[in-house]
Amino acid sequence: MSTLHTVNKSPFEKTSLAACLDHLSAGAAVLLLEDGVYAALTQTSAEGQVKAALDSVKVYALGPDLQARGLSEERVIPGISVVDYAGFVDLAAEHDKVQAWL
Amino acid sequence: MSETIKNFLYLNRRAPYGTIYAWESLEVVLIGAAFDQDVSLAFVDDGVFQLTKGQDTAGVGMKNFSPTYAALGDYEVKKIYIEKESLEERGLSLDDLQHLTWEDEDDDYAEKDSIHLVTRAEMAAIMDGADVVFSF
Amino acid sequence: MPIEVDGKTFETDEEGYLSNINDWVPGVATVMSKEDDLELTDEHWDIINYLREYYEEYQIAPAVRVLTKAVGKKFGKDKGNSKYLYGLFPYGPAKQACRYAGLPKPTGCV
């Protein structure tokens, strides 16, 4: 069973990301969207936990949400793939289910 | 209109777009500016994300209200405090934020900086010194 | 109620403000002013165009006192007062000029 986990809350405000990363199984992927994209930035206090997760799972960030917030792709942690809405749909289709961390 | 000038502090702690707080705060500031009060804005925690440069919301179908912060000077809002630690925890520096100014009519319309970078301890003192704090 | 400009229909809200600011053409202001029995002069257009520039830059319609101050700076001190603006737009610069300019109702204007 492969699951796409989505996180739409800022890692600096809510524990949604930390909770998500603590509950990943093999084959899981994480998509950061809305305020969740702040977790994709380098040199933040949340960078360590995201980098650690990249060792075992794929992590994605939604491009339009990065752009809306004035965050360029150069600021995104290497290893995180930036996807558009079509990529989001593909990810949802590739996995058996989608689990949202609100 | 009130006789006593009060010192109002608008405390912004939320990122833009994910929730409505940032835009609501900005609207209240603009409406409140019609009253002659001493207004300051504080950006703390995720609130610092409100002021990032280069916001482009075309892809998410929302109104981009970041250009509106540049109008604050016209509304006599001249004191904008940014917390240094909040920026650093988010991998940001002042260079990543908009440069906000106000025009000093009494000094030949000279453009003066509105943004002041303050430490967490200084921010605590600013909060303590305010007559009223509006939280968003 | 929608308005007709040069054979084209423009949607408005219940207070007569244009539904989509990007639809605006100068004819919108002309048609709206005719409904108010007002003849638009260069002085009116100065304000209407200024309002559109302000919205373009800041994404809001300016409050009346912000507009007054800006008009004084841009078009001369003698024009930077509400008497001048209300002389041009009797229903008020916010209610009338912003509407002609296709802007939404200014924030804080009730």
Side-chain angles (χ1 to χ4, degrees), chain B residues 20-90:
Chain B
I20 199 71
Y21 289 94
W23 172 238
E24 292 274 304
S25 172
L26 190 51
E27 282 209 299
V28 174
V29 169
L30 296 174
I31 294 168
F35 305 94
D36 283 314
Q37 304 291 351
D38 178 16
V39 173
S40 307
L41 267 57
F43 292 89
V44 174
D45 299 337
D46 277 357
V48 299
F49 284 132
Q50 292 179 29
L51 297 176
T52 54
K53 284 179 193 161
Q55 295 179 22
D56 174 6
T57 58
V60 294
M62 296 175 82
K63 181 189 169 86
N64 178 2
F65 54 86
S66 68
T68 307
Y69 292 99
L72 286 169
D74 294 345
Y75 285 77
E76 306 281 322
V77 176
K78 307 164 184 173
K79 288 177 288 184
I80 297 175
Y81 300 104
I82 314 273
E83 190 175 271
K84 189 167 169 281
E85 289 85 345
S86 295
L87 279 179
E88 287 168 355
E89 286 157 10
R90 288 159 185 78

Side-chain angles (χ1 to χ4, degrees), chain A residues 72-95:
Chain A
S72 64
E73 287 193 27
E74 295 91 81
R75 302 193 79 112
V76 171
I77 297 169
I80 294 182
S81 311
V82 176
V83 295
D84 58 11
Y85 286 109
F88 183 176
V89 173
D90 290 342
L91 284 172
E94 285 163 17
H95 293 81

Side-chain angles (χ1 to χ4, degrees), chain C residues 8-59:
Chain C
K8 220 183 138 209
T9 305
F10 292 78
E11 292 298 324
T12 63
D13 67 11
E14 66 275 11
E15 292 178 277
Y17 290 83
L18 217 59
S19 300
N20 185 355
I21 182 173
N22 299 317
D23 286 348
W24 189 86
V25 290
V28 167
T30 314
V31 168
M32 286 180 173
S33 65
K34 279 204 181 111
E35 286 171 0
D36 293 342
D37 283 325
L38 189 77
E39 180 92 23
L40 293 182
T41 63
D42 287 350
E43 283 72 28
H44 290 98
W45 283 109
D46 280 346
I47 306 300
I48 291 169
N49 290 328
Y50 177 76
L51 285 170
R52 290 196 58 85
E53 285 165 24
Y54 196 92
Y55 193 91
E56 177 69 26
E57 183 166 2
Y58 299 116
Q59 299 297 304

Side-chain angles (χ1 to χ4, degrees), chain A residues 14-27:
Chain A
K14 292 256 166 47
T15 55
S16 313
L17 175 74
C20 167
L21 299 180
D22 283 345
H23 294 87
L24 299 178
S25 302

Side-chain angles (χ1 to χ4, degrees), chain A residues 10-14 34-35 38 41-46 64-65 67-71 75 85, chain B residues 13-19 46 49 52-57 59-60 88-92 96:
Chain A
S10 161
F12 313 111
E13 193 190 352
K14 292 256 166 47
E34 297 171 15
D35 283 349
Y38 290 121
L41 298 181
T42 54
Q43 292 177 355
T44 74
S45 54
D65 282 322
Q67 285 154 22
R69 289 159 181 78
L71 312 172
R75 302 193 79 112
Y85 286 109
Chain B
R13 293 184 48 253
R14 305 293 194 102
Y17 309 118
T19 62
D46 277 357
F49 284 132
T52 54
K53 284 179 193 161
Q55 295 179 22
D56 174 6
T57 58
V60 294
E88 287 168 355
E89 286 157 10
R90 288 159 185 78
L92 299 175
D96 296 309

